[in-house]
Amino acid sequence: MAWASISAQPVLTRNEAIRIIDAALKQQPLFWQGFAIPYSIDRGSKHKDAAMLEVLFNHKLLSREKETKVIKVEGSQRKRITLNYRYDFIDEEASQHASTQGGFYYGTGRLKNIMDLSKPYLLGRSYYAEAYIQWYVTDIQDWVDAPAFDKARTLRRTLESKEKPFEKRVYLHHDGQKWGFWQGQPGGL
């Protein structure tokens, strides 16, 4: 009989869910990827990307080199010279870290509130619980509140997340011994 091998429904207290979810959020650093690096842009540009790149350079997250390019003028035989800044990661380690993590580190999450916690339910051969949570960002990096990033919604919301928390659905999984945080949809491996 297949049902005989499945243990009794495990208990999940609200306090245990709080501890597990908060610990999981703290262990997941948050990264912002506004644009691909390396990035070349006209030295006189007033574009929002130019302002953001300047802030990241000033906070020593990027290096900057002057660059001169000869560009063919479209629809003409003429060429023109452009004076650019070329932004790149400060070193190979920063480049590797940003490419594997998906951008620039800006903080970590913390649990503010569990708005709804389901009772444990059986799906396949495992028990899961679903929580709808409010969370905010801590360890916010200095560069995030620069005016250049006012249009970057994720970063702007990060700054106000303590008062206006983010909301999302997360899942907990019982491995037969204890509850833990589950990445993805219940039942998927």
Side-chain angles (χ1 to χ4, degrees):
M1 217 171 138
W3 292 102
S5 64
I6 297 174
S7 61
Q9 180 173 335
V11 174
L12 175 64
T13 66
R14 190 173 195 83
N15 285 341
E16 186 177 13
I18 288 169
R19 182 185 54 74
I20 293 167
I21 294 168
D22 192 45
L25 291 174
K26 286 191 289 189
Q27 291 175 10
Q28 296 174 0
L30 302 169
F31 293 90
W32 177 77
Q33 180 65 55
F35 27 70
I37 301 294
Y39 193 118
S40 290
I41 193 162
D42 187 284
R43 290 186 212 168
S45 176
K46 300 295 182 206
H47 190 272
K48 67 179 178 65
D49 286 2
M52 290 181 199
L53 289 162
E54 175 97 14
V55 170
L56 295 170
F57 168 73
N58 291 339
H59 281 84
K60 299 186 180 7
L61 296 171
L62 293 175
S63 64
R64 177 173 74 188
E65 292 182 13
K66 291 180 179 178
E67 176 179 75
T68 304
K69 284 188 174 180
V70 177
I71 298 176
K72 187 176 181 329
V73 176
E74 219 174 289
S76 168
Q77 295 293 333
R78 298 180 10 189
K79 295 180 181 180
R80 68 181 182 95
I81 295 175
T82 64
L83 303 175
N84 294 343
Y85 283 128
R86 179 181 168 84
Y87 292 90
D88 208 339
F89 293 106
I90 54 172
D91 56 32
E92 186 62 32
E93 183 181 334
S95 174
Q96 287 287 5
H97 188 71
S99 65
T100 59
Q101 298 299 323
F104 300 94
Y105 170 77
Y106 67 89
T108 57
R110 291 297 306 268
L111 180 66
K112 182 164 185 156
N113 183 32
I114 295 180
M115 297 168 59
D116 188 35
L117 179 63
S118 75
K119 290 182 177 173
Y121 56 91
L122 184 63
L123 186 59
R125 301 182 73 69
S126 298
Y127 281 95
Y128 296 89
E130 191 173 308
Y132 191 67
I133 65 168
Q134 291 181 319
W135 64 281
Y136 62 96
V137 180
T138 61
D139 191 31
I140 299 171
Q141 301 300 290
D142 292 341
W143 58 269
V144 172
D145 69 353
F149 294 102
D150 287 350
K151 297 270 191 256
R153 186 175 190 280
T154 300
L155 298 177
R156 189 180 70 247
R157 284 282 293 116
T158 291
L159 293 170
E160 59 192 32
S161 65
K162 191 94 172 179
E163 292 79 35
K164 296 178 188 173
F166 294 102
E167 295 180 2
K168 70 177 177 177
R169 189 166 313 283
V170 297
Y171 300 94
L172 302 171
H173 172 258
H174 194 271
D175 65 6
Q177 303 294 318
K178 63 185 183 328
W179 285 98
F181 194 76
W182 183 257
Q183 296 285 358
Q185 294 294 316
L189 294 175

